[in-house]
Amino acid sequence: MARPPTDEDFADLVHAAWPSLYRTAYLLLGDAAEAEDLTQTALAKTYASWGRVREPAAARGYARTVLVNTATSWFRRRSWRNELPTETLPERAHPDATNDDRPVLLAALARLAPRQRAVVVLRFYDDLSVAERARALGVSEGTVKSQTSVALDRLRDVLGDSLLHPIDGTSEKGV
Amino acid sequence: MTEPLTRLLHDVGDDVTAPPPPTSAVLERGRHLRRRRTAVLSAGVSVAVVAVLTGALLLPGGGDDRAVDPVAPSGPTFDGVTFAVGDEVYLDGGETVVQIDDRAVKSLYYSSVGVVVRHGNDSASDGGGPQRFTLIRPDGTVSPASVETEETAHGVDPDQPYLAWAEAAGGGVEVVVHDVGTDTEVARVPVEGRFTWSPPPVALEGDTVYVGGRPGEDPAFLAVDWRTGEVTESERTGYFPQLTGERTVEYDREPTVVDVTSGEVLYTADGRDGFLTLSPDGRFVAETGFDERTFENLDATVVDLDTGAGLEMPGSDVGWSEGGQPFVVGGGEVTVCDGTSGDCLTEDVDLGTKRPQVQLGGRTYES
């Protein structure tokens, strides 16, 4: 890199990365205010390391990794709820997913333990591989696979088999 | 995108209306975070720069030929302050917590590619069972290493991505060097000889793995060039082939810090009960002892071996940050100090349990 990244470079990063980071944060946390706080925190941490960024183009991935790691830390340090108290289970989704199923999906995600929610969001929304999720979450690839399998079983209870077909724990991508 | 769950998650995620990016707020928080890392607090911290009263410091070569660069940035920072409680590794003073996929952390080494975590069934080194390894990279990502050892002491050079150790083999040992960045074994060198420990502890510095010690042999250590396979005798001295910036601790009449090249004694502890621990780069030594009446550990004194400046730490168990600064963890706080200026930073840290077993970065925890 010819010159160290500037504050203007960082502002460009914030504008470009904010929407997708926020959406990942929202799916991870299920709360708009928490998602905004998490995204701000992740980008602020990225800025604190900005002087060490060698390639600004890679900073977006760095920020996403920081976001996931920060969320994982929050889950542990904030006595994060393992799952939302659910007095009324959401209605099972229709076999053919429609926009009407979105609240059902959010409710189903909210019923997962934080790490299970993370492996699902990072796999099916951010399209991270098993190895990438293992690194991001600080667990082994075996743990990622097992947590994904458990999470999908729980989602299947709510969303139904057809919505998850052909996904199952054994069809987990390895790359 | 053909999978229903993928499609549904994208529908939900893409339907979320992201608020406008608060660029100014992010920049402000980022600057605050950067300032917090570098701010110097001295008031209210039970740390003070003190004259070296408990030890006798001998400055090498008149004491001014290795003076600290006056323009070098100084001041304590939580960057690189690493410690572990159970299976959780606290990075940068606790700013980020990473969980290791094992029961307990045994020790934390600094390498050029991140923190190398030695872990296993419990936090013990002796009799602690299998030792497994995980790399935590600077961005917080985690890579388990395909290495498992037992009852051996390892060597890591902070400037390299390698983990070295010895394995018993035939009438001698094999020295193994593993690149934890790529998780590949890069060298395995047979070394003949009898050693006090089987397998013997090693230390890594550059292309050399030091292996020791050999009972009744002088010199006690061997130097193994792991790139060429050449094995030679080493003039290195010491109880343990600990490498800390060409300095080592010897326990003869009393504990001393010795320059291994010149043999010069740089620091002598106050009495036989003092215990010396060198920082990974050898710039500082921490001296600890205990009160003979109460049998309680005394707060440690950290001495800058180049300048003679010393400071009392607010605790007896001293760890070292990646940058070589001393820190202590206890009472719900982590305190890191600049070993030269004596300035310190303290902040609260939630360790989750009342009396946690804390493993500090930069310590080998080998006996």
Side-chain angles (χ1 to χ4, degrees):
Chain A
M1 192 176 66
R3 59 173 175 79
T6 64
D7 280 6
E8 287 71 29
D9 294 329
F10 183 76
D12 290 343
L13 170 70
V14 172
H15 276 275
W18 175 269
S20 63
L21 290 175
Y22 174 84
R23 290 181 178 116
T24 296
Y26 181 82
L27 291 173
L28 285 173
L29 304 177
D31 180 272
E34 294 278 11
E36 186 166 0
D37 188 21
L38 175 62
T39 311
Q40 274 201 35
T41 301
L43 286 167
K45 286 183 175 182
T46 302
Y47 179 80
S49 302
W50 194 235
R52 295 182 299 202
V53 170
R54 295 177 182 172
E55 182 51 64
R60 195 164 173 167
Y62 183 95
R64 186 176 62 176
T65 299
V66 173
L67 182 142
V68 174
N69 286 330
T70 302
T72 306
S73 295
W74 284 11
F75 292 151
R76 293 197 192 93
R77 301 180 72 188
R78 291 186 172 187
S79 301
W80 205 270
R81 62 195 186 282
N82 282 332
E83 56 184 71
L84 288 175
T86 307
E87 295 180 0
T88 305
L89 291 175
E91 293 287 334
R92 174 166 290 203
H94 190 275
D96 298 319
T98 68
N99 288 354
D100 294 339
D101 293 324
R102 293 175 193 180
V104 179
L105 177 64
L106 286 174
L109 283 174
R111 295 185 68 218
L112 298 178
R115 186 180 288 172
Q116 293 167 5
R117 194 157 60 236
V119 296
V120 167
V121 170
L122 295 177
R123 161 68 177 86
F124 296 101
Y125 185 70
D126 286 302
D127 200 29
L128 296 193
S129 69
V130 171
E132 289 169 328
R133 278 177 288 158
R135 282 199 299 273
L137 295 169
V139 299
S140 69
E141 294 185 19
T143 299
V144 168
K145 291 179 180 178
S146 64
Q147 290 289 296
T148 303
S149 179
V150 171
L152 291 176
D153 282 345
R154 299 193 72 175
L155 288 177
R156 190 176 287 111
D157 288 343
V158 177
L159 301 175
D161 284 334
S162 58
L163 197 60
L164 293 174
H165 183 79
I167 305 299
D168 59 39
T170 58
S171 66
E172 182 65 59
K173 286 183 180 177
V175 294
Chain B
M1 293 289 289
T2 59
E3 296 163 340
L5 185 55
T6 300
R7 178 162 51 84
L8 189 52
L9 261 175
H10 274 271
D11 286 345
V12 171
D14 295 344
D15 201 37
V16 171
T17 302
T23 307
S24 298
V26 170
L27 274 167
E28 187 176 343
R29 285 182 67 174
R31 290 185 182 121
H32 176 76
L33 185 58
R34 187 183 280 175
R35 281 197 301 272
R36 187 180 68 79
R37 288 181 174 184
T38 55
V40 176
L41 295 177
S42 51
V45 179
S46 59
V47 181
V49 179
V50 295
V52 181
L53 300 176
T54 57
L57 180 72
L58 302 177
L59 293 174
D64 60 355
D65 57 342
R66 291 193 293 173
V68 174
D69 181 359
V71 300
S74 62
T77 167
F78 286 107
D79 285 350
V81 171
T82 311
F83 54 93
V85 178
D87 62 352
E88 293 186 327
V89 179
Y90 291 66
L91 305 171
D92 295 335
E95 187 173 291
T96 302
V97 183
V98 172
Q99 188 171 31
I100 298 299
D101 202 15
D102 208 338
R103 292 180 185 170
V105 171
K106 294 176 182 292
S107 63
L108 302 155
Y109 308 99
Y110 300 115
S111 78
S112 65
V113 289
V115 177
V116 179
V117 184
R118 181 169 63 100
H119 49 86
N121 298 336
D122 57 46
S123 61
S125 291
D126 289 341
Q131 304 178 117
R132 296 174 279 270
F133 296 85
T134 294
L135 171 67
I136 303 176
R137 299 180 187 277
D139 65 0
T141 55
V142 175
S143 303
S146 58
V147 172
E148 183 169 311
T149 65
E150 190 158 355
E151 293 299 321
T152 190
H154 309 77
V156 175
D157 182 336
D159 296 325
Q160 301 192 93
Y162 304 124
L163 174 73
W165 70 94
E167 293 180 357
V173 299
E174 284 183 335
V175 167
V176 185
V177 180
H178 192 92
D179 185 331
V180 291
T182 60
D183 193 23
T184 53
E185 183 176 302
V186 294
R188 184 175 285 268
V189 181
V191 179
E192 297 299 320
R194 290 192 313 113
F195 299 92
T196 303
W197 298 275
S198 181
V202 305
L204 174 65
E205 184 179 73
D207 293 345
T208 304
V209 178
Y210 293 93
V211 184
R214 299 186 296 166
E217 300 280 351
D218 185 19
F221 296 142
L222 296 176
V224 178
D225 186 322
W226 64 265
R227 292 190 188 275
T228 67
E230 182 182 18
V231 180
T232 57
E233 293 186 333
S234 168
E235 296 300 322
R236 186 169 299 281
T237 61
Y239 173 73
F240 189 79
Q242 182 184 28
L243 280 174
T244 46
E246 292 298 311
R247 290 162 177 172
T248 192
V249 173
E250 293 190 355
Y251 291 89
D252 191 5
R253 294 182 60 185
E254 57 272 311
T256 56
V257 178
V258 177
D259 184 303
V260 297
T261 303
S262 66
E264 192 171 10
V265 175
L266 304 178
Y267 182 80
T268 301
D270 181 29
R272 295 180 58 85
D273 295 330
F275 185 78
L276 301 181
T277 306
L278 284 164
S279 62
D281 57 10
R283 284 188 296 157
F284 305 105
V285 63
E287 179 175 356
T288 55
F290 66 91
D291 188 317
E292 293 180 347
R293 292 168 299 177
T294 64
F295 295 100
E296 290 183 351
N297 290 326
L298 300 172
D299 285 351
T301 299
V302 168
V303 177
D304 184 329
L305 291 168
D306 291 325
T307 68
L311 69 146
E312 289 180 354
M313 298 295 291
S316 59
D317 204 13
V318 176
W320 306 97
S321 75
E322 187 177 4
Q325 301 294 357
F327 71 91
V328 296
V329 179
E333 294 181 334
V334 54
T335 298
V336 60
C337 298
D338 182 317
T340 299
S341 70
D343 293 328
C344 297
L345 277 172
T346 295
E347 72 175 11
D348 294 339
V349 61
D350 179 9
L351 301 181
T353 55
K354 290 182 179 178
R355 296 179 64 85
Q357 171 70 38
V358 182
Q359 308 295 107
L360 304 174
R363 296 279 299 277
T364 63
Y365 292 103
E366 303 286 359
S367 57

